[in-house]
Amino acid sequence: MKVLVLGNGGREHALVWKLRQSSRISKLYCAPGNGGIAEEAECLPVDLKNLDSLVALGQQMRPDLTVVGPELPLTLGVVDEFTRRGWPAFGPTKAAAQLESSKSFAKELLQRHRIPTAPYAICDSVEEVRAALAHFHAPVVVKADGLAAGKGVVIATSKEEAASVAAEMFSGKMVGEAGTRVVLEECLKGDELSFLVLSDGERVAPLVAAQDHKRAGDGDTGPNTGGMGAYSTQSIIDDKMRDWLVHHIARPAVAGMKAEGAEFKGVLYCGLMMTARGPMVLEFNCRFGDPETQPILMRLESDLVDALEASIAGRVSEGDFKWSADASVCVVMASGGYPGTFEVGKKITGLSQAGAVEGVKVFHAGTSKLDGEFYTAGGRVLGVSARAPELQTAVARAYEACEKIRFDGAHYRKDIAGRALKK
């Protein structure tokens, strides 16, 4: 079969890498891809922000399966358009993708279906923000309603800061159109957890859990990013907690969407805070996470194509996945200045030496290739990932590989999975 992956980041490289292992695939494409993905799939030009461009590519290729990586094409309706033309596509429709494209939509759905989440207020002006803040204690979480590439969330330490952040979001200077509406939330305390399930619109099958590291600096300091690393182990949650999350969060969300006329097919990413009061939903994403996909897929031992087709066909079951008991980790190497302003075009060396470390796979997130050499082409450049029987060994392997890679301005957190290792 002919398979197309849409996207150009580390998540898409991980998807390509895992899909390439399927004996069912005769030809694998990625659009637009990146320097590293081009080593494992044929890369084709496309504008991910333009639905006409995506449809034109589909018309040219007529793929047997399309896997949509990033959120923007989903919110544009690429799955709707491909499905309407008879090209099977994995992911939610435009209506279902509102779970990610609008935080206010997601919060209201959570409330309607009694799914645990933080108290909140939806505001359309600075005046509404100031009035709503009377009902909150600092710190307060300020979220841009729309898509902001993981950077539309600020934890304000005071109500004055919260009002100021909201004003900056409304002005468009901070996150553009994503900030035309703002959601205020109570700041929850606990450990974050990324819990992903595969859905066919009715049934769900859980993937192994992972933990992301959002802040730019060690010790969870600095600004929020798209994610600086993640890890996955069997011990993040036990079977009892996994079943609770399925029955009280994932399944009610999918059932709620179906009841409201927006059936959800694809991967539902439940971003959770494990609080003293129990798990609470921080956010929903409507696709594989990045960088969580890298360590999750490193543990997957069954055919990913079969699972994706089960979602499309409406026959998802718990048996769709077989997992390794090993631990896995991904350390993101970023450009200097990320998540702020950064330069691209820096030559990358040491990739082959890093990839030779036992258990390591280097996924490319923001790279280009010219005359056989790799160069930086984004904020998050590489996802240096490793698998091993124990988390400590996986972490050691990933960092050993990171030390072999060089490019000007490279930086990465030195404490990915650190809290888990201390426990």
Side-chain angles (χ1 to χ4, degrees):
M1 62 189 301
K2 186 165 56 175
V3 176
L4 169 66
V5 176
L6 294 177
N8 60 351
R11 165 186 47 223
E12 288 74 39
H13 193 179
L15 286 166
V16 163
W17 170 77
K18 181 53 67 175
L19 288 167
R20 195 175 177 216
Q21 296 168 23
S22 174
S23 60
R24 299 182 56 201
I25 296 179
S26 56
K27 189 64 179 176
L28 186 57
Y29 300 89
C30 187
N34 62 38
I37 293 174
E39 304 275 287
E40 306 191 52
E42 183 178 339
C43 291
L44 301 169
V46 77
D47 182 355
L48 294 173
K49 300 177 182 178
N50 186 300
L51 187 57
D52 290 339
S53 176
L54 293 163
V55 170
L57 176 65
Q59 187 71 49
Q60 171 192 332
M61 289 190 55
R62 299 181 179 271
D64 300 305
L65 172 65
T66 297
V67 183
V68 186
E71 57 272 27
L72 185 56
L74 293 171
T75 64
L76 292 175
V78 68
V79 169
D80 309 61
E81 294 299 324
F82 274 41
T83 302
R84 188 164 64 83
R85 289 167 170 79
W87 313 325
F90 175 79
T93 62
K94 181 177 181 177
Q98 287 181 89
L99 270 179
E100 178 169 6
S101 64
S102 172
K103 291 183 176 64
S104 59
F105 175 90
K107 293 295 282 190
E108 290 175 331
L109 181 110
L110 288 164
Q111 185 178 53
R112 284 194 297 273
H113 296 279
R114 299 182 180 181
I115 301 169
T117 190
Y120 69 97
I122 298 170
C123 305
D124 292 308
S125 67
V126 176
E127 291 72 29
E128 288 184 14
V129 168
R130 292 190 185 281
L133 283 170
H135 303 286
F136 288 85
H137 295 288
V140 183
V141 183
V142 185
K143 295 183 175 182
D145 183 62
L147 298 176
K151 300 165 196 169
V153 178
V154 176
I155 300 174
T157 56
S158 67
K159 293 184 180 184
E160 292 75 17
E161 184 188 358
S164 175
V165 167
E168 194 171 357
M169 287 184 178
F170 285 129
S171 74
K173 296 176 183 176
M174 190 171 180
V175 287
E177 292 183 6
T180 54
R181 171 174 280 185
V182 163
V183 176
L184 304 179
E185 281 186 359
E186 174 191 315
C187 186
L188 300 175
K189 294 182 179 179
D191 284 337
E192 289 194 38
L193 181 76
S194 300
F195 185 70
L196 284 67
V197 299
L198 182 73
S199 172
D200 62 7
E202 185 174 343
R203 289 161 291 272
V204 301
L207 283 67
V208 290
Q211 189 171 72
D212 188 14
H213 296 62
K214 285 287 188 190
R215 296 296 191 96
D218 289 356
D220 291 326
T221 58
N224 265 347
T225 70
M228 292 299 292
Y231 72 95
S232 176
T233 66
Q234 277 195 304
S235 60
I236 289 185
I237 55 172
D238 58 26
D239 291 347
K240 185 177 179 181
M241 177 56 73
R242 180 199 63 192
D243 292 344
W244 193 96
L245 296 175
V246 167
H247 286 95
H248 294 275
I249 292 177
R251 195 169 286 157
V254 169
M257 291 295 286
K258 184 173 184 179
E260 297 185 17
E263 185 179 64
F264 187 96
K265 290 186 174 187
V267 166
L268 178 64
Y269 171 123
C270 308
L272 309 174
M273 185 68 82
M274 310 301 279
T275 77
R277 290 176 281 171
M280 294 195 178
V281 177
L282 295 173
E283 65 176 353
F284 284 130
N285 292 330
C286 295
R287 34 73 191 180
F288 286 99
D290 190 350
E292 295 95 336
T293 300
Q294 290 86 311
I296 286 174
L297 290 186
M298 288 199 83
R299 294 183 59 198
L300 180 62
E301 298 199 323
S302 50
D303 194 322
L304 182 58
V305 173
D306 294 343
L308 303 185
E309 287 191 329
S311 169
I312 295 169
R315 47 179 169 78
V316 162
S317 74
E318 286 266 357
D320 288 331
F321 299 108
K322 291 184 176 62
W323 302 101
S324 167
D326 285 358
S328 53
V329 64
C330 171
V331 178
V332 171
M333 298 188 71
S335 293
Y338 177 81
T341 304
F342 56 86
E343 295 181 354
V344 298
K346 308 296 184 183
K347 186 176 178 179
I348 306 168
T349 61
L351 288 169
S352 57
Q353 293 90 329
V357 176
E358 184 180 358
V360 165
K361 172 66 180 178
V362 181
F363 295 110
H364 290 234
T367 69
S368 60
K369 191 175 184 182
L370 181 65
D371 298 330
E373 302 285 356
F374 288 99
Y375 297 87
T376 65
R380 292 188 295 175
V381 179
L382 302 166
V384 182
S385 305
R387 172 177 150 175
E390 303 85 23
L391 179 60
Q392 187 171 2
T393 306
V395 169
R397 287 174 175 177
Y399 281 115
E400 180 185 348
C402 286
E403 289 170 4
K404 297 179 183 297
I405 299 171
R406 295 280 186 274
F407 57 88
D408 287 347
H411 72 96
Y412 54 93
R413 283 183 58 162
K414 312 299 192 298
D415 64 344
I416 302 300
R419 287 198 302 274
L421 291 175
K422 286 179 183 176
K423 290 179 181 177

